[in-house]
C-alpha cells in the first residue's frame, strides 16, 4: 500500500467514524464517579462501559472492517476494554494493524460522546497531567494559542477530541521543566508556527501547531497528517512520538 493510499484510507475512516452516532447506555458515564476519578488524577471515563460488544462489532462493520474470531479468541469484554483504553497489547502478540485501526475508530464516537458528557467536570478539575483527562489517551497535538492563553498550550486528544491546558515549558510525557532538556525541531523560520517539541530527558516529542482559534474536531486528523514532516524530523533525531 502506498503512502498516499494509506492517508486516504485514514481520512475515509475518520469521515465514517464522525457520521456514527455515539449513543451511550443510560447512566453512562457515571458523573459522580467521574468527578471522584478526576480528583484522584484518573481520566473521567476510566472503566466506563461506553459500548458493548455488539455495538463495537456494528461500528467496525460500518467502517468496512470485520473482527472475525477475535471475540472468541481473546474474550468479547476484553476486546471492548482494550479498544476503549487503547491497550492494544491485550489483543495478543503482534495484533493485525488493520484490526487495531478498525477498533480505534470504532470507539471514537462513544469516546467523543463521553468527553462531551464530562467536559464541565474536566474544566472544573483543572487537570494537570499530560494524558487526556477524558479517555486517558496521549495527546496527538499541542495547540500553541496566542496571545490570550499566555504561556499555556492546549493539548488535543485525537481519540475523543478533548482539549486541556498544559504548561508550555514542560514535557507532557515526563513533566521535565529544565529548559536545557527541552528542544524544538522545525523547518527554518517556522519555530513559532510548527515544531516538534522534544524532551531529552525521556526521549518523547509532541507536535506543536500555532493557532489563533481551536482546531475543529474534524480538523484534528488533517492537521496531524499535514505535519508528518515534523514526525520524520523528530524520529530521525532519535525521539519517539508521544501519541
Amino acid at each position: 500500500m502506498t503512502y498516499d493510499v494509506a492517508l486516504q484510507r485514514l481520512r475515509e475512516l475518520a469521515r465514517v467514524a464522525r457520521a456514527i452516532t455515539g449513543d451511550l447506555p443510560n447512566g453512562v458515564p457515571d458523573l459522580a464517579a467521574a468527578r471522584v476519578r478526576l480528583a484522584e488524577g484518573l481520566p473521567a471515563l476510566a472503566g466506563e462501559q461506553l459500548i458493548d460488544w455488539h455495538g463495537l462489532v456494528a461500528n467496525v462493520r460500518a467502517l468496512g472492517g470485520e473482527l472475525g474470531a477475535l471475540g472468541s479468541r481473546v474474550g468479547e469484554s476484553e476486546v471492548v476494554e482494550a479498544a476503549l483504553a487503547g491497550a492494544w497489547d491485550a489483543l495478543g502478540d503482534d495484533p493485525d494493524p488493520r484490526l487495531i485501526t478498525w477498533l480505534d475508530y470504532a470507539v471514537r464516537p462513544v469516546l467523543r460522546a463521553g468527553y462531551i458528557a464530562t467536559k464541565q467536570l474536566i474544566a472544573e478539575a483543572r487537570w494537570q497531567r499530560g494524558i487526556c483527562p477524558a479517555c486517558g489517551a496521549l495527546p496527538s497535538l499541542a495547540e500553541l494559542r496566542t496571545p490570550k492563553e499566555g504561556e499555556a498550550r492546549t493539548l488535543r486528544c485525537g481519540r475523543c477530541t478533548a482539549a486541556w491546558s498544559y504548561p508550555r515549558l514542560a514535557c507532557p510525557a515526563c513533566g521535565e521543566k529544565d529548559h536545557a532538556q527541552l528542544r524544538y525541531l522545525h523547518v527554518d523560520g517556522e519555530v513559532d508556527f510548527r515544531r516538534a517539541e522534544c524532551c531529552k530527558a525521556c526521549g518523547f516529542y509532541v507536535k506543536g501547531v500555532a493557532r489563533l482559534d481551536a482546531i475543529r474536531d474534524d480538523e484534528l486528523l488533517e492537521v496531524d497528517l499535514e505535519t508528518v514532516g515534523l514526525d520524520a524530523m523528530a524520529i530521525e533525531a532519535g525521539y519517539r512520538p508521544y501519541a
Side-chain angles (χ1 to χ4, degrees), residues 6-147:
L7 293 187
Q8 187 54 42
R9 290 192 177 181
L10 279 178
R11 290 185 175 104
E12 180 61 17
L13 281 174
R15 184 192 66 79
V16 175
R18 286 195 297 270
I20 296 174
T21 302
D23 293 328
L24 299 175
N26 290 334
V28 175
D30 182 330
L31 297 183
R35 187 188 299 275
V36 172
R37 284 191 287 265
L38 287 167
E40 295 176 346
L42 299 174
L45 302 176
E48 292 280 355
Q49 297 302 305
L50 304 176
I51 193 170
D52 61 15
W53 171 255
H54 299 291
L56 183 65
V57 170
N59 285 1
V60 168
R61 288 176 177 167
L63 294 168
E66 288 290 341
L67 295 182
L70 181 63
S72 58
R73 187 170 70 249
V74 179
E76 294 178 359
S77 62
E78 287 77 8
V79 173
V80 172
E81 290 174 8
L84 289 171
W88 309 121
D89 290 347
L91 301 181
D93 295 333
D94 196 24
D96 187 337
R98 294 174 304 170
L99 189 62
I100 291 175
T101 302
W102 288 331
L103 288 170
D104 184 13
Y105 280 85
V107 296
R108 291 190 182 200
V110 293
L111 289 174
R112 187 167 59 245
Y115 165 59
I116 291 171
T118 56
K119 188 174 183 179
Q120 184 57 42
L121 293 179
I122 291 171
E124 295 170 356
R126 299 181 181 275
W127 187 255
Q128 298 294 313
R129 299 185 63 190
I131 62 171
C132 177
C135 70
L138 301 174
S140 60
L141 291 168
E143 296 177 5
L144 310 174
R145 298 198 214 148
T146 55

Side-chain angles (χ1 to χ4, degrees), residues 168-179:
R168 182 167 296 196
L169 298 178
C171 172
C174 69
E176 179 64 63
K177 295 181 180 180
D178 181 356
H179 67 88

